[in-house]
Amino acid sequence: MSENTNNGKGQTPGKRPQLQQPPRSGRSGWIVLAVIGLSIALMYLMNPDTAQLRDLSESEFRALVMAGKVDSLERIRILDTGSNYLLGHDNSAEKPRRRSRFGFVQDETADGEEKPAPNFRVRLAPGENEDLMKFLLEKNISCPIRERTNPFGPLLRDLLVMGLLVFATWFLFFRNLRGGNGPFGVGKSRAKLLTADKKKTTFKDVAGVDEAKEEVQEIIEFLKAPAKFKKLGGKIPKGVLLVGPPGTGKTLLARAIAGEAGVPFFSISGSDFMEMFVGVGASRVRDMFEQGKHHAPCIIFIDEIDAIGQKRSRTGGGYTGGGYSEQEQTLNAMLVEMDGFSANEGVIIVAATNRPDVLDPALLRPGRFDRQIVVDLPTLKGREEILRIHAKDIKFAPDADLKRIARGTPGFSGADLANLLNEAALLAARKSLDGVGHAELEEARDKVLWGRERRSAGYTKREREITAWHESGHALLQLLLDHTDPLHKVTIIPRGRALGATMSLPDHDILNRTKLQFLDELVVFAGGRIAEEFHTGDISTGAAQDIAQATHLAREMVCRYGMSEKFGFQAFFEPPTFSAEPVPPPFSERTSEEIDAEVKALVDKAYERAKKLLEENRDKLETLAAALIEKESMDGRDVAKLLGIPEKPDSAGEDEGKEDGSPSAGERPEKATTEPAEAGESAAKEESAAAEK
């Protein structure tokens, strides 16, 4: 006896059912539109005023009568509308088709004889038109008067049209949209289905997010072999939230999950749910989950979920909006579908956002989004792996060094690195090179960071000298101080909005910063203004950005990091500037004045230290300024060799064999002294010596 391999549901055990789209029907909308069109056509045909007649002016009509071309004539009065016109037949014109009062068959006389159908019309002005009637009497043309009643008067027509429009509006936008069956798919989900026949994305295409890949590996194993987990009572996570800065590969990671698991993958953006009609977003959410049930197990990826998942603010006893806003209805539908009375087995929601702080707590609780995975900026090792993935289709010159570029791009996301390689390839193509060299990679990196060179800027000789001294002041202090990043490059070629730039790049990923680094950084900020004053005896606006950055850093040290000797282990946060009503700061006016004084003391002390160091090394400052005027751009190693200052030891080697850490979210460790310059970090040698004592 053969076994019955059918499981009763039309499926064979061990085989995945065929993916079938749920039934979609938009015929009802077309039917309504057809009814409206037919009604308007019937109204047009049944109205005698709209017959296909040639309109003549009174002068043209008189000329036709005098030529003897008018066979029959009658005067029509429409009682409902008050219109008054003449209908006649021009025997010189083509014989018209037969029609009745409804426009189809010719009228007949009392004795059964047909009379010619009218083929022209003369609209009469209000009044009796006695002159025209006398004219017809003189020409012996009879003009009987016929009074008619329009079967569809203006009021009746307007009421009919309004009724049809109201019915169509109710049928289309209230009845059908709530059920998700509106015409043209208005209430349908806009999620795009990526099946196995599409190009697969796997973990080989994702780099720099090793920890995130390890966390989602369990979900992939569950999708591949759910029985392994279910026999121990384990349940598949309902939702996974990917959190991280823009461009770090959250969407790519979600596609890799579906590619590794071999399951259908729906992709949709949070903004695709929102429409001007209330209820459309909720309808699309329900339809999206309905499609997911048909294809389960599957993954639904929602990008930028903060567009629909923002917090519902409370005012008094209820939510703002009263629960009737489109965004709130969409969020409520999402909450119910993810963890309501009817569970969606086998449908995993993977969402991405770079603003988790604005999401509603009900959306983030376990049972909806069980896991939050941080997809942070890549480390040094991750940046090198990402560069190699994006470099597969790029032809490189022998001197190209991706590892050095990876070290010179701390704080870059995967999207930034892909953009860097693309800019380098475009630059090499413009130069008609056979491959992308290291010079093109460096130029592309600088362009992404600080903008393109503006060699066409109208530079005077005096401005070049001032900029050269300004950047020399930054660069010299960058080399002299102990707690600054290595000097990378100095240039007086305008780039972006800056006339010059002093670029410093850390030799490893920065996880934490110290007070000594911040103090030295303040010193470097002040170096440009002081060097200008040494050369010209005057000061310029070139240090505006340096002053702003130094003031901000000093205030952060006092108010946020507790690095003030006077205030110690305290934090002073200002109220949010976007508050609807002015909120007083959580400290007194006297404390505010003391904070200002402490900030000024930090900046003034750094300024004096910078001035003392530059005075002691005036010869090196002049040498570097002269070299910059001649060469325009210099590598940091060449500057150190020119001035006889030993290069700083490579601190990246201290962490060999250890796992690389990620930079702090929202901070880019690289620094550049711009406009004309911005700086690195530093600490007082005096304070370190005092600490040793």
Side-chain angles (χ1 to χ4, degrees):
M1 181 181 293
S2 61
E3 295 182 2
N4 185 6
T5 58
N6 195 307
N7 60 6
K9 296 183 180 180
Q11 301 174 6
T12 302
K15 294 185 179 180
R16 184 180 300 279
Q18 294 294 327
L19 298 182
Q20 297 180 355
Q21 292 289 349
R24 293 172 176 261
S25 176
R27 296 179 181 176
S28 57
W30 293 109
I31 293 174
V32 172
L33 294 178
V35 170
I36 294 176
L38 182 59
S39 301
I40 295 175
L42 289 175
M43 290 169 53
Y44 178 82
L45 293 173
M46 297 178 70
N47 187 358
D49 289 344
T50 58
Q52 298 295 328
L53 298 174
R54 184 163 56 102
D55 286 315
L56 300 178
S57 64
E58 185 175 338
S59 59
E60 292 175 335
F61 172 69
R62 287 175 181 267
L64 199 65
V65 171
M66 294 179 68
K69 296 180 179 181
V70 178
D71 289 345
S72 62
L73 188 68
E74 62 180 351
R75 184 174 180 180
I76 306 298
R77 286 180 179 175
I78 304 300
L79 300 179
D80 297 336
T81 61
S83 58
N84 195 11
Y85 54 86
L86 297 177
L87 288 179
H89 177 259
D90 179 6
N91 54 26
S92 64
E94 183 181 355
K95 184 177 180 181
R97 62 191 179 95
R98 303 174 65 202
R99 68 179 182 86
S100 68
R101 66 177 183 274
F102 295 115
F104 298 111
V105 183
Q106 286 184 332
D107 290 335
E108 295 182 354
T109 58
D111 54 3
E113 296 181 359
E114 295 182 354
K115 66 177 182 179
N119 58 9
F120 70 84
R121 173 173 52 191
V122 181
R123 297 184 183 275
L124 301 179
E128 294 299 328
N129 297 283
E130 295 180 359
D131 294 340
L132 185 60
M133 294 300 104
K134 289 180 180 180
F135 172 74
L136 293 176
L137 187 60
E138 292 174 359
K139 297 299 180 181
N140 296 321
I141 297 178
S142 62
C143 183
I145 298 176
R146 180 185 298 184
E147 295 182 346
R148 290 182 178 179
T149 301
N150 193 346
F152 293 95
L155 180 60
L156 184 59
R157 290 200 304 270
D158 293 344
L159 291 177
L160 179 61
V161 172
M162 290 178 61
L164 288 173
L165 292 177
V166 170
F167 170 76
T169 303
W170 171 82
F171 189 84
L172 300 182
F173 299 107
F174 289 93
R175 180 174 178 269
N176 284 356
L177 290 185
R178 290 185 182 278
N181 299 319
F184 323 116
V186 176
K188 292 292 183 180
S189 170
R190 296 184 178 179
K192 298 178 181 179
L193 174 62
L194 303 179
T195 52
D197 57 341
K198 300 292 181 68
K199 184 179 179 181
K200 269 190 176 183
T201 301
T202 62
F203 282 161
K204 294 181 181 179
D205 304 310
V206 184
V209 286
D210 295 337
E211 292 81 3
K213 287 196 292 186
E214 291 175 2
E215 287 199 57
V216 300
Q217 188 66 38
E218 186 177 292
I219 299 175
I220 296 172
E221 293 179 4
F222 193 103
L223 291 171
K224 287 182 176 180
K228 174 183 176 181
F229 297 88
K230 287 183 178 180
K231 69 180 182 180
L232 299 178
K235 296 182 179 180
I236 189 171
K238 293 184 178 181
V240 177
L241 183 64
L242 304 178
V243 179
T248 51
K250 299 184 290 295
T251 304
L252 188 64
L253 180 60
R255 295 186 62 178
I257 296 172
E260 291 285 341
V263 297
F265 180 79
F266 290 91
S267 176
I268 192 171
S269 172
S271 60
D272 289 336
F273 293 101
M274 306 303 294
E275 291 287 352
M276 65 177 292
F277 303 105
V278 176
V280 174
S283 175
R284 288 177 178 171
V285 169
R286 290 189 290 268
D287 185 69
M288 179 184 67
F289 277 91
E290 190 66 28
Q291 294 182 49
K293 292 177 185 178
H294 283 78
H295 298 155
C298 70
I299 293 176
I300 297 177
F301 175 65
I302 305 176
D303 199 8
E304 304 297 342
I305 194 174
D306 48 90
I308 60 172
Q310 293 188 18
K311 294 178 182 178
R312 297 167 290 181
S313 58
R314 294 178 178 270
T315 56
Y319 295 114
T320 57
Y324 294 99
S325 67
E326 170 67 357
Q327 180 176 337
E328 189 168 331
Q329 285 201 21
T330 306
L331 175 58
N332 291 337
M334 179 73 70
L335 297 177
V336 172
E337 291 293 338
M338 290 190 69
D339 190 21
F341 282 102
S342 58
N344 293 286
E345 295 293 339
V347 180
I348 301 177
I349 302 296
V350 179
T353 182
N354 50 25
R355 299 194 303 165
D357 54 302
V358 304
L359 296 180
D360 194 276
L363 191 64
L364 299 177
R365 72 163 176 82
R368 291 194 174 107
F369 282 107
D370 302 282
R371 297 185 180 181
Q372 293 189 28
I373 300 176
V374 177
V375 185
D376 212 337
L377 295 172
T379 61
L380 174 60
K381 179 182 176 183
R383 292 195 297 274
E384 185 176 353
E385 293 174 351
I386 294 172
L387 285 172
R388 297 195 183 282
I389 288 177
H390 291 294
K392 290 179 180 178
D393 299 328
I394 298 178
K395 185 178 180 181
F396 289 97
D399 65 334
D401 188 355
L402 293 181
K403 187 172 183 179
R404 179 173 172 80
I405 293 298
R407 291 186 61 183
T409 52
F412 271 50
S413 65
D416 293 330
L417 295 172
N419 185 34
L420 185 151
L421 290 178
N422 184 62
E423 289 288 348
L426 296 177
L427 182 61
R430 285 197 296 269
K431 294 180 179 180
S432 300
L433 302 177
D434 295 331
V436 178
H438 192 74
E440 287 71 42
L441 291 172
E442 289 275 351
E443 172 62 24
R445 189 271 315 280
D446 296 345
K447 180 180 178 182
V448 173
L449 272 177
W450 301 294
R452 187 175 180 178
E453 290 184 349
R454 295 186 296 112
R455 292 183 176 272
S456 60
Y459 235 175
T460 65
K461 181 180 179 181
R462 176 176 174 80
E463 287 173 336
R464 284 171 56 86
E465 291 179 356
I466 293 176
T467 304
W469 277 79
H470 184 110
E471 302 304 334
S472 298
H474 287 308
L476 181 57
L477 292 175
Q478 196 84 25
L479 293 172
L480 292 175
L481 295 169
D482 294 336
H483 302 90
T484 56
D485 291 331
L487 180 65
H488 174 70
K489 185 178 181 181
V490 186
T491 179
I492 60 172
I493 300 174
R495 187 181 288 274
R497 298 183 61 185
L499 298 179
T502 300
M503 309 171 189
S504 63
L505 292 172
D507 49 22
H508 63 286
D509 292 321
I510 296 178
L511 303 178
N512 199 8
R513 291 188 178 274
T514 65
K515 179 181 178 181
L516 295 179
Q517 290 177 321
F518 284 147
L519 290 175
D520 276 5
E521 189 170 346
L522 291 175
V523 175
V524 177
F525 282 140
R529 166 63 65 85
I530 296 170
E532 284 184 32
E533 193 173 3
F534 282 176
H535 176 62
T536 63
D538 196 3
I539 57 178
S540 70
T541 60
Q545 185 69 12
D546 299 331
I547 297 171
Q549 290 180 328
T551 305
H552 175 72
L553 178 58
R555 186 168 292 276
E556 290 284 285
M557 291 174 64
V558 174
C559 298
R560 184 177 180 185
Y561 302 127
M563 295 181 178
S564 167
E565 296 180 0
K566 183 172 185 177
F567 292 104
F569 199 69
Q570 294 186 72
F572 304 95
F573 293 103
E574 296 288 343
T577 56
F578 54 83
S579 177
E581 298 180 358
V583 180
F587 45 84
S588 64
E589 293 184 5
R590 180 180 176 182
T591 302
S592 178
E593 294 175 357
E594 292 177 351
I595 290 174
D596 294 340
E598 190 70 7
V599 170
K600 185 177 185 303
L602 286 173
V603 174
D604 289 347
K605 186 176 180 180
Y607 192 89
E608 293 300 324
R609 286 186 59 217
K611 190 172 184 179
K612 181 179 179 181
L613 283 173
L614 291 179
E615 285 177 345
E616 293 173 354
N617 297 272
R618 180 69 177 263
D619 56 337
K620 294 183 175 62
L621 182 64
E622 294 177 355
T623 301
L624 179 56
L628 275 178
I629 294 174
E630 179 183 354
K631 298 180 179 180
E632 291 186 331
S633 294
M634 295 183 67
D635 187 84
R637 292 168 293 186
D638 296 335
V639 173
K641 185 177 180 180
L642 174 67
L643 301 181
I645 301 176
E647 293 186 39
K648 295 179 182 179
D650 188 355
S651 59
E654 300 174 1
D655 297 330
E656 289 183 358
K658 300 180 182 179
E659 294 184 359
D660 292 325
S662 298
S664 302
E667 295 186 3
R668 297 183 74 132
E670 79 285 343
K671 294 179 292 299
T673 55
T674 57
E675 196 189 351
E678 170 193 324
E681 312 113 275
S682 263
K685 293 181 180 179
E686 303 167 358
E687 293 195 8
S688 60
E692 293 177 1
K693 293 181 181 179

